[in-house]
Amino acid sequence: MSLEQYWKKRKFDKTPEPKGKVLKTSKNRFVVHDHYAIKAGHHHDFRLEMDGVLKSWAVPKGVPEKKGKRVLAIQTEDHPVSYADFQGEIPEGCYGAGVVKVFDKGTYKLIEKTENKLVFELKGGKLKGKYTLLRFKKPKHWLLFKSN
Ligand code: MN
């Protein structure tokens, strides 16, 4: 795992985002950021702590809170685990410019992991229960839905 892409996209003298590092913990955190992006518009960024980084997906329609809705989740660059606590305003002209807030956070239990499928149980304040991420188009397009 590497944060090269994350670092390459950002100028740390301009953005308040953490530079971070790869750091393996046993915390199994997840976080959903509300990202009011100037360019892309409001979306969720869903992040799962895994292998020392936060695996990340942009979810344009938001992470479903109920069963029955399948949404597109576009995998983005791995983020440092310290990003789980990040909230702030990324200045105009910077990558991801706009306001970032934490929508929900908590821990998760991994149920299944293959190259194209992740099943996990979220234990957050708002998001609770079993979720699936299913890759349907390589390399970056996944479906995210609540399965239980
Ligand atoms: Mn985003």
Side-chain angles (χ1 to χ4, degrees), residues 34-83:
D34 250 328
H35 189 179
Y36 299 88
I38 294 168
K39 274 191 190 166
H42 175 242
H43 61 274
H44 277 168
D45 287 302
F46 179 69
R47 312 188 196 281
L48 283 179
E49 181 171 12
M50 201 171 271
D51 302 326
V53 295
L54 297 176
K55 306 305 284 182
S56 296
W57 291 261
V59 187
K61 292 193 170 163
V63 179
E65 293 182 50
K66 290 177 184 167
K67 276 204 281 183
K69 202 172 151 195
R70 292 176 171 231
V71 298
L72 173 67
I74 302 153
Q75 192 165 8
T76 57
E77 76 277 16
D78 294 344
H79 281 49
V81 289
S82 55
Y83 209 95

Short mmCIF file of all heavy atoms in Angstrom, two decimals, residues 34-83:
data_model
loop_
_atom_site.label_atom_id
_atom_site.label_comp_id
_atom_site.label_asym_id
_atom_site.label_seq_id
_atom_site.Cartn_x
_atom_site.Cartn_y
_atom_site.Cartn_z
N ASP A 34 -18.67 14.15 4.27
CA ASP A 34 -19.53 14.99 3.44
C ASP A 34 -18.58 15.96 2.75
O ASP A 34 -17.91 16.74 3.41
CB ASP A 34 -20.46 15.81 4.35
CG ASP A 34 -21.90 15.39 4.26
OD1 ASP A 34 -22.34 14.94 3.19
OD2 ASP A 34 -22.58 15.51 5.29
N HIS A 35 -18.52 15.87 1.44
CA HIS A 35 -17.58 16.72 0.71
C HIS A 35 -18.37 17.67 -0.19
O HIS A 35 -19.00 17.23 -1.15
CB HIS A 35 -16.64 15.83 -0.10
CG HIS A 35 -15.49 16.57 -0.73
ND1 HIS A 35 -14.52 15.95 -1.48
CD2 HIS A 35 -15.16 17.89 -0.73
CE1 HIS A 35 -13.65 16.84 -1.91
NE2 HIS A 35 -14.02 18.03 -1.47
N TYR A 36 -18.34 18.94 0.16
CA TYR A 36 -19.01 19.96 -0.64
C TYR A 36 -17.99 20.52 -1.62
O TYR A 36 -17.42 21.59 -1.42
CB TYR A 36 -19.58 21.06 0.27
CG TYR A 36 -20.61 20.51 1.25
CD1 TYR A 36 -20.22 20.01 2.49
CD2 TYR A 36 -21.96 20.48 0.91
CE1 TYR A 36 -21.15 19.48 3.38
CE2 TYR A 36 -22.90 19.95 1.80
CZ TYR A 36 -22.48 19.46 3.03
OH TYR A 36 -23.41 18.93 3.90
N ALA A 37 -17.73 19.73 -2.65
CA ALA A 37 -16.65 20.06 -3.58
C ALA A 37 -17.10 21.12 -4.57
O ALA A 37 -18.19 21.05 -5.13
CB ALA A 37 -16.21 18.80 -4.32
N ILE A 38 -16.23 22.10 -4.79
CA ILE A 38 -16.56 23.18 -5.71
C ILE A 38 -16.76 22.61 -7.12
O ILE A 38 -17.72 22.94 -7.80
CB ILE A 38 -15.44 24.26 -5.71
CG1 ILE A 38 -15.40 24.95 -4.32
CG2 ILE A 38 -15.66 25.29 -6.81
CD1 ILE A 38 -14.17 25.81 -4.10
N LYS A 39 -15.86 21.73 -7.55
CA LYS A 39 -15.95 21.18 -8.92
C LYS A 39 -16.96 20.04 -9.05
O LYS A 39 -17.84 20.08 -9.90
CB LYS A 39 -14.58 20.66 -9.38
CG LYS A 39 -13.72 21.74 -10.01
CD LYS A 39 -12.50 21.12 -10.67
CE LYS A 39 -11.51 22.21 -11.09
NZ LYS A 39 -10.20 21.65 -11.43
N ALA A 40 -16.83 19.02 -8.21
CA ALA A 40 -17.63 17.80 -8.39
C ALA A 40 -19.01 17.91 -7.75
O ALA A 40 -19.89 17.09 -8.01
CB ALA A 40 -16.87 16.61 -7.81
N GLY A 41 -19.22 18.91 -6.91
CA GLY A 41 -20.49 19.03 -6.21
C GLY A 41 -20.51 18.17 -4.96
O GLY A 41 -19.54 17.45 -4.66
N HIS A 42 -21.62 18.25 -4.22
CA HIS A 42 -21.69 17.53 -2.95
C HIS A 42 -21.72 16.01 -3.18
O HIS A 42 -22.48 15.52 -4.00
CB HIS A 42 -22.94 17.96 -2.17
CG HIS A 42 -23.14 17.19 -0.92
ND1 HIS A 42 -24.26 16.41 -0.70
CD2 HIS A 42 -22.34 17.03 0.17
CE1 HIS A 42 -24.15 15.82 0.48
NE2 HIS A 42 -23.00 16.19 1.03
N HIS A 43 -20.89 15.32 -2.44
CA HIS A 43 -20.89 13.85 -2.50
C HIS A 43 -20.36 13.31 -1.18
O HIS A 43 -19.89 14.06 -0.33
CB HIS A 43 -20.03 13.35 -3.66
CG HIS A 43 -18.59 13.77 -3.57
ND1 HIS A 43 -18.13 14.98 -4.05
CD2 HIS A 43 -17.50 13.15 -3.03
CE1 HIS A 43 -16.83 15.08 -3.82
NE2 HIS A 43 -16.42 14.00 -3.18
N HIS A 44 -20.49 12.03 -1.00
CA HIS A 44 -19.87 11.36 0.14
C HIS A 44 -18.54 10.77 -0.28
O HIS A 44 -18.39 10.32 -1.43
CB HIS A 44 -20.75 10.21 0.65
CG HIS A 44 -21.83 10.64 1.58
ND1 HIS A 44 -22.86 9.81 1.95
CD2 HIS A 44 -22.05 11.82 2.23
CE1 HIS A 44 -23.66 10.45 2.79
NE2 HIS A 44 -23.20 11.67 2.97
N ASP A 45 -17.60 10.73 0.63
CA ASP A 45 -16.39 9.93 0.45
C ASP A 45 -16.40 8.87 1.53
O ASP A 45 -16.40 9.18 2.73
CB ASP A 45 -15.14 10.81 0.55
CG ASP A 45 -14.96 11.68 -0.69
OD1 ASP A 45 -14.88 11.12 -1.79
OD2 ASP A 45 -14.95 12.92 -0.55
N PHE A 46 -16.47 7.63 1.09
CA PHE A 46 -16.54 6.50 2.01
C PHE A 46 -15.14 5.91 2.17
O PHE A 46 -14.47 5.64 1.18
CB PHE A 46 -17.50 5.46 1.42
CG PHE A 46 -17.64 4.23 2.26
CD1 PHE A 46 -18.28 4.30 3.49
CD2 PHE A 46 -17.13 3.01 1.85
CE1 PHE A 46 -18.41 3.17 4.29
CE2 PHE A 46 -17.26 1.88 2.64
CZ PHE A 46 -17.90 1.96 3.86
N ARG A 47 -14.72 5.73 3.41
CA ARG A 47 -13.34 5.28 3.65
C ARG A 47 -13.30 4.16 4.70
O ARG A 47 -13.91 4.26 5.76
CB ARG A 47 -12.48 6.44 4.14
CG ARG A 47 -12.65 7.70 3.29
CD ARG A 47 -11.64 8.76 3.68
NE ARG A 47 -12.00 10.09 3.17
CZ ARG A 47 -11.81 10.51 1.91
NH1 ARG A 47 -11.27 9.69 1.03
NH2 ARG A 47 -12.18 11.71 1.53
N LEU A 48 -12.56 3.12 4.36
CA LEU A 48 -12.39 1.96 5.24
C LEU A 48 -10.92 1.80 5.57
O LEU A 48 -10.07 1.73 4.67
CB LEU A 48 -12.83 0.68 4.52
CG LEU A 48 -14.30 0.35 4.35
CD1 LEU A 48 -14.42 -0.97 3.58
CD2 LEU A 48 -15.01 0.24 5.69
N GLU A 49 -10.62 1.70 6.85
CA GLU A 49 -9.23 1.46 7.26
C GLU A 49 -8.85 0.02 6.95
O GLU A 49 -9.49 -0.93 7.42
CB GLU A 49 -9.09 1.73 8.77
CG GLU A 49 -7.67 1.52 9.26
CD GLU A 49 -7.47 1.99 10.71
OE1 GLU A 49 -8.46 2.26 11.41
OE2 GLU A 49 -6.30 2.07 11.12
N MET A 50 -7.80 -0.10 6.15
CA MET A 50 -7.40 -1.44 5.69
C MET A 50 -5.93 -1.40 5.27
O MET A 50 -5.52 -0.48 4.55
CB MET A 50 -8.28 -1.78 4.47
CG MET A 50 -8.39 -3.24 4.14
SD MET A 50 -9.66 -3.48 2.86
CE MET A 50 -11.12 -3.69 3.87
N ASP A 51 -5.13 -2.32 5.74
CA ASP A 51 -3.71 -2.42 5.34
C ASP A 51 -2.92 -1.12 5.57
O ASP A 51 -2.06 -0.76 4.76
CB ASP A 51 -3.61 -2.81 3.85
CG ASP A 51 -4.30 -4.14 3.56
OD1 ASP A 51 -4.27 -5.02 4.45
OD2 ASP A 51 -4.88 -4.29 2.48
N GLY A 52 -3.26 -0.39 6.61
CA GLY A 52 -2.47 0.78 6.96
C GLY A 52 -2.86 2.08 6.27
O GLY A 52 -2.19 3.10 6.43
N VAL A 53 -3.93 2.02 5.48
CA VAL A 53 -4.43 3.24 4.81
C VAL A 53 -5.97 3.26 4.90
O VAL A 53 -6.58 2.31 5.40
CB VAL A 53 -4.02 3.28 3.31
CG1 VAL A 53 -2.51 3.39 3.15
CG2 VAL A 53 -4.57 2.07 2.54
N LEU A 54 -6.55 4.34 4.41
CA LEU A 54 -8.00 4.37 4.25
C LEU A 54 -8.32 4.12 2.78
O LEU A 54 -8.05 4.98 1.93
CB LEU A 54 -8.59 5.72 4.68
CG LEU A 54 -8.43 6.15 6.14
CD1 LEU A 54 -8.98 7.56 6.33
CD2 LEU A 54 -9.14 5.19 7.08
N LYS A 55 -8.84 2.93 2.47
CA LYS A 55 -9.32 2.68 1.12
C LYS A 55 -10.52 3.62 0.91
O LYS A 55 -11.35 3.76 1.81
CB LYS A 55 -9.77 1.22 0.96
CG LYS A 55 -8.74 0.17 1.35
CD LYS A 55 -7.43 0.31 0.66
CE LYS A 55 -7.47 -0.18 -0.78
NZ LYS A 55 -6.10 -0.04 -1.40
N SER A 56 -10.59 4.26 -0.25
CA SER A 56 -11.54 5.37 -0.40
C SER A 56 -12.36 5.27 -1.69
O SER A 56 -11.84 4.86 -2.73
CB SER A 56 -10.79 6.70 -0.40
OG SER A 56 -10.16 6.91 0.86
N TRP A 57 -13.61 5.65 -1.56
CA TRP A 57 -14.53 5.69 -2.70
C TRP A 57 -15.34 6.98 -2.65
O TRP A 57 -15.87 7.34 -1.58
CB TRP A 57 -15.51 4.52 -2.65
CG TRP A 57 -14.94 3.17 -2.88
CD1 TRP A 57 -14.95 2.46 -4.04
CD2 TRP A 57 -14.30 2.30 -1.92
NE1 TRP A 57 -14.35 1.23 -3.87
CE2 TRP A 57 -13.94 1.11 -2.58
CE3 TRP A 57 -13.98 2.44 -0.55
CZ2 TRP A 57 -13.29 0.07 -1.93
CZ3 TRP A 57 -13.33 1.38 0.10
CH2 TRP A 57 -13.00 0.21 -0.59
N ALA A 58 -15.47 7.63 -3.78
CA ALA A 58 -16.39 8.77 -3.88
C ALA A 58 -17.77 8.22 -4.23
O ALA A 58 -17.91 7.39 -5.13
CB ALA A 58 -15.91 9.72 -4.97
N VAL A 59 -18.77 8.66 -3.49
CA VAL A 59 -20.13 8.16 -3.68
C VAL A 59 -21.04 9.35 -4.02
O VAL A 59 -21.53 10.03 -3.12
CB VAL A 59 -20.63 7.43 -2.41
CG1 VAL A 59 -21.98 6.77 -2.66
CG2 VAL A 59 -19.61 6.41 -1.92
N PRO A 60 -21.25 9.60 -5.34
CA PRO A 60 -21.98 10.81 -5.74
C PRO A 60 -23.37 10.91 -5.13
O PRO A 60 -23.82 12.00 -4.78
CB PRO A 60 -22.05 10.69 -7.27
CG PRO A 60 -20.89 9.82 -7.64
CD PRO A 60 -20.73 8.86 -6.49
N LYS A 61 -24.08 9.77 -5.02
CA LYS A 61 -25.46 9.83 -4.51
C LYS A 61 -25.54 9.61 -3.00
O LYS A 61 -26.63 9.60 -2.43
CB LYS A 61 -26.33 8.82 -5.25
CG LYS A 61 -26.53 9.23 -6.70
CD LYS A 61 -27.62 8.46 -7.40
CE LYS A 61 -27.92 9.10 -8.76
NZ LYS A 61 -28.67 8.19 -9.63
N GLY A 62 -24.41 9.42 -2.36
CA GLY A 62 -24.41 9.24 -0.91
C GLY A 62 -24.53 7.78 -0.51
O GLY A 62 -25.11 6.97 -1.23
N VAL A 63 -23.97 7.46 0.65
CA VAL A 63 -24.02 6.08 1.16
C VAL A 63 -25.45 5.79 1.62
O VAL A 63 -26.00 6.53 2.44
CB VAL A 63 -23.04 5.89 2.34
CG1 VAL A 63 -23.12 4.47 2.88
CG2 VAL A 63 -21.61 6.23 1.91
N PRO A 64 -26.09 4.74 1.08
CA PRO A 64 -27.48 4.44 1.45
C PRO A 64 -27.60 4.09 2.94
O PRO A 64 -26.79 3.34 3.47
CB PRO A 64 -27.85 3.22 0.60
CG PRO A 64 -26.76 3.05 -0.39
CD PRO A 64 -25.56 3.76 0.12
N GLU A 65 -28.62 4.64 3.56
CA GLU A 65 -28.85 4.31 4.97
C GLU A 65 -29.85 3.17 5.11
O GLU A 65 -30.00 2.60 6.19
CB GLU A 65 -29.34 5.56 5.73
CG GLU A 65 -28.24 6.62 5.82
CD GLU A 65 -28.65 7.86 6.61
OE1 GLU A 65 -29.16 7.70 7.73
OE2 GLU A 65 -28.46 8.98 6.08
N LYS A 66 -30.54 2.85 4.00
CA LYS A 66 -31.52 1.76 4.03
C LYS A 66 -31.24 0.76 2.91
O LYS A 66 -30.55 1.07 1.95
CB LYS A 66 -32.93 2.33 3.85
CG LYS A 66 -33.40 3.12 5.04
CD LYS A 66 -34.76 3.72 4.78
CE LYS A 66 -35.18 4.60 5.96
NZ LYS A 66 -36.34 5.43 5.63
N LYS A 67 -31.84 -0.42 3.07
CA LYS A 67 -31.72 -1.46 2.05
C LYS A 67 -32.45 -1.05 0.78
O LYS A 67 -33.38 -0.25 0.81
CB LYS A 67 -32.34 -2.76 2.56
CG LYS A 67 -31.40 -3.57 3.43
CD LYS A 67 -31.79 -5.04 3.43
CE LYS A 67 -32.96 -5.31 4.37
NZ LYS A 67 -33.28 -6.75 4.43
N GLY A 68 -32.04 -1.65 -0.35
CA GLY A 68 -32.81 -1.49 -1.57
C GLY A 68 -32.26 -0.48 -2.56
O GLY A 68 -32.76 -0.37 -3.67
N LYS A 69 -31.22 0.25 -2.17
CA LYS A 69 -30.67 1.24 -3.08
C LYS A 69 -29.23 0.85 -3.40
O LYS A 69 -28.43 0.64 -2.49
CB LYS A 69 -30.72 2.60 -2.39
CG LYS A 69 -30.68 3.79 -3.30
CD LYS A 69 -30.96 5.05 -2.48
CE LYS A 69 -30.28 6.25 -3.08
NZ LYS A 69 -30.24 7.38 -2.14
N ARG A 70 -28.91 0.75 -4.69
CA ARG A 70 -27.54 0.46 -5.11
C ARG A 70 -26.96 1.72 -5.71
O ARG A 70 -27.56 2.31 -6.59
CB ARG A 70 -27.52 -0.65 -6.15
CG ARG A 70 -27.93 -1.98 -5.59
CD ARG A 70 -28.00 -3.05 -6.67
NE ARG A 70 -28.18 -4.34 -6.01
CZ ARG A 70 -27.45 -5.42 -6.23
NH1 ARG A 70 -26.50 -5.39 -7.15
NH2 ARG A 70 -27.66 -6.54 -5.58
N VAL A 71 -25.82 2.13 -5.22
CA VAL A 71 -25.24 3.37 -5.73
C VAL A 71 -23.83 3.14 -6.25
O VAL A 71 -23.13 2.22 -5.83
CB VAL A 71 -25.24 4.49 -4.65
CG1 VAL A 71 -26.65 4.83 -4.20
CG2 VAL A 71 -24.35 4.12 -3.47
N LEU A 72 -23.45 4.00 -7.17
CA LEU A 72 -22.10 3.96 -7.73
C LEU A 72 -21.09 4.48 -6.71
O LEU A 72 -21.32 5.50 -6.05
CB LEU A 72 -22.07 4.85 -8.98
CG LEU A 72 -20.71 5.09 -9.65
CD1 LEU A 72 -20.17 3.79 -10.25
CD2 LEU A 72 -20.83 6.16 -10.73
N ALA A 73 -19.99 3.76 -6.59
CA ALA A 73 -18.89 4.18 -5.73
C ALA A 73 -17.61 4.12 -6.56
O ALA A 73 -17.23 3.05 -7.04
CB ALA A 73 -18.79 3.28 -4.50
N ILE A 74 -17.00 5.26 -6.76
CA ILE A 74 -15.80 5.32 -7.60
C ILE A 74 -14.56 5.33 -6.72
O ILE A 74 -14.37 6.24 -5.90
CB ILE A 74 -15.82 6.59 -8.47
CG1 ILE A 74 -17.09 6.61 -9.33
CG2 ILE A 74 -14.58 6.67 -9.35
CD1 ILE A 74 -17.55 8.00 -9.70
N GLN A 75 -13.77 4.28 -6.85
CA GLN A 75 -12.58 4.19 -6.00
C GLN A 75 -11.61 5.32 -6.30
O GLN A 75 -11.35 5.64 -7.46
CB GLN A 75 -11.89 2.83 -6.17
CG GLN A 75 -10.84 2.61 -5.09
CD GLN A 75 -10.37 1.17 -5.00
OE1 GLN A 75 -10.70 0.33 -5.83
NE2 GLN A 75 -9.59 0.89 -3.97
N THR A 76 -11.13 5.94 -5.24
CA THR A 76 -10.16 7.03 -5.38
C THR A 76 -8.88 6.62 -4.67
O THR A 76 -8.76 5.49 -4.18
CB THR A 76 -10.72 8.35 -4.81
OG1 THR A 76 -11.06 8.14 -3.44
CG2 THR A 76 -11.97 8.77 -5.56
N GLU A 77 -7.93 7.52 -4.63
CA GLU A 77 -6.62 7.18 -4.07
C GLU A 77 -6.72 6.87 -2.58
O GLU A 77 -7.53 7.44 -1.87
CB GLU A 77 -5.62 8.31 -4.34
CG GLU A 77 -5.75 9.55 -3.45
CD GLU A 77 -6.79 10.54 -3.94
OE1 GLU A 77 -7.64 10.18 -4.77
OE2 GLU A 77 -6.77 11.68 -3.44
N ASP A 78 -5.88 5.95 -2.12
CA ASP A 78 -5.80 5.64 -0.69
C ASP A 78 -5.46 6.91 0.08
O ASP A 78 -4.64 7.72 -0.36
CB ASP A 78 -4.70 4.60 -0.43
CG ASP A 78 -5.02 3.25 -1.04
OD1 ASP A 78 -6.18 3.00 -1.40
OD2 ASP A 78 -4.08 2.43 -1.14
N HIS A 79 -6.09 7.06 1.23
CA HIS A 79 -5.82 8.21 2.09
C HIS A 79 -5.14 7.72 3.37
O HIS A 79 -5.33 6.58 3.80
CB HIS A 79 -7.13 8.91 2.46
CG HIS A 79 -7.67 9.81 1.39
ND1 HIS A 79 -7.80 9.41 0.07
CD2 HIS A 79 -8.12 11.09 1.43
CE1 HIS A 79 -8.31 10.42 -0.64
NE2 HIS A 79 -8.51 11.45 0.15
N PRO A 80 -4.37 8.60 4.04
CA PRO A 80 -3.74 8.18 5.30
C PRO A 80 -4.79 7.95 6.39
O PRO A 80 -5.85 8.59 6.37
CB PRO A 80 -2.83 9.36 5.66
CG PRO A 80 -3.34 10.52 4.90
CD PRO A 80 -4.01 9.98 3.67
N VAL A 81 -4.50 7.09 7.34
CA VAL A 81 -5.48 6.79 8.39
C VAL A 81 -5.82 8.05 9.21
O VAL A 81 -6.93 8.18 9.72
CB VAL A 81 -5.01 5.65 9.34
CG1 VAL A 81 -5.05 4.31 8.61
CG2 VAL A 81 -3.64 5.92 9.92
N SER A 82 -4.87 8.98 9.30
CA SER A 82 -5.15 10.20 10.07
C SER A 82 -6.23 11.06 9.40
O SER A 82 -6.79 11.96 10.03
CB SER A 82 -3.86 11.02 10.26
OG SER A 82 -3.24 11.30 9.03
N TYR A 83 -6.54 10.76 8.16
CA TYR A 83 -7.60 11.50 7.45
C TYR A 83 -8.98 11.20 8.04
O TYR A 83 -9.93 11.94 7.82
CB TYR A 83 -7.59 11.14 5.97
CG TYR A 83 -8.08 12.24 5.05
CD1 TYR A 83 -7.20 13.12 4.45
CD2 TYR A 83 -9.44 12.40 4.78
CE1 TYR A 83 -7.63 14.12 3.61
CE2 TYR A 83 -9.90 13.40 3.93
CZ TYR A 83 -8.99 14.26 3.35
OH TYR A 83 -9.43 15.26 2.52
#
